Amino acid sequence: QDGLGDASSVAAMSGTQKRSDVEKQEETQRYLQLQVTRWKSAVTEIEELLEKSVKTDNKLIDLAKRFDMGSDRGDLESGQEAIIRRRMSLNKVPSNREKKTRQDRRAELMELREELAEATKDLQATEVMSAMASNSKPRGTRASGASSARASSGL
């Protein structure tokens, strides 16, 4: 009887151990499935963020190209507007609308030439500074197409 009792208790213990091992394997499998689900979710979220980042980067590059292309004309126009505003604020025109004398016209012409020369110097200084900045970039960086085309054309 002792041999049979021992055999049945060993069989019962091994059956319990087998169930315990099966439960551990099932628990491990559920845990792994949960981790895989979490990872898939994280990967999807990262891919969405990366896609948005690429779109934003492309928009920024496009805006930078547009700004770079029209910046010279914009500087000149804004300089001209500043000259016009300054002259209007000085209000050189007489209030009774008398005709200007030849001397008045010469003086005005000289003022305009000085203002133009000053604006041109400012514009050239800006171009020189931007050219120096683009030449001082470390190797491996790329200038935008518009600025490199302008630099090669001497603008």
Side-chain angles (χ1 to χ4, degrees):
Q1 260 192 5
D2 284 338
L4 287 178
D6 287 338
S8 65
S9 65
V10 168
M13 287 177 75
S14 67
T16 306
Q17 244 181 354
K18 285 181 184 178
R19 274 189 237 131
S20 154
D21 288 342
V22 169
E23 287 174 357
K24 286 182 182 178
Q25 286 177 350
E26 288 174 355
E27 183 179 338
T28 303
Q29 188 174 11
R30 284 191 302 261
Y31 175 75
L32 290 175
Q33 287 174 345
L34 181 64
Q35 284 295 77
V36 167
T37 304
R38 286 181 183 167
W39 290 339
K40 284 181 180 179
S41 174
V43 166
T44 302
E45 190 174 324
I46 290 170
E47 286 175 343
E48 289 172 358
L49 288 172
L50 184 62
E51 183 178 333
K52 289 178 184 177
S53 173
V54 167
K55 286 180 181 178
T56 303
D57 188 45
N58 288 338
K59 286 179 183 177
L60 289 173
I61 289 170
D62 183 47
L63 288 172
K65 285 180 182 178
R66 283 193 218 168
F67 174 75
D68 200 29
M69 285 179 173
S71 66
D72 289 340
R73 195 177 84 218
D75 290 343
L76 182 60
E77 287 175 359
S78 64
Q80 289 172 343
E81 288 175 9
I83 291 171
I84 292 168
R85 280 192 214 102
R86 181 170 164 249
R87 294 198 47 76
M88 289 174 69
S89 69
L90 292 176
N91 200 7
K92 293 279 185 174
V93 179
S95 60
N96 58 4
R97 298 275 181 183
E98 294 177 9
K99 285 191 172 184
K100 292 182 182 178
T101 65
R102 185 173 209 140
Q103 189 67 22
D104 290 339
R105 291 179 194 263
R106 281 186 184 163
E108 185 179 5
L109 184 58
M110 290 303 292
E111 287 177 20
L112 288 171
R113 285 180 180 162
E114 288 173 10
E115 289 177 17
L116 180 61
E118 191 175 308
T120 305
K121 285 179 188 176
D122 291 343
L123 184 60
Q124 287 174 348
T126 304
E127 288 177 354
V128 167
M129 293 301 287
S130 65
M132 289 173 58
S134 66
N135 288 337
S136 66
K137 286 184 181 177
R139 290 184 183 210
T141 60
R142 295 180 0 191
S144 68
S147 63
S148 61
R150 191 173 337 124
S152 66
S153 67
L155 294 176

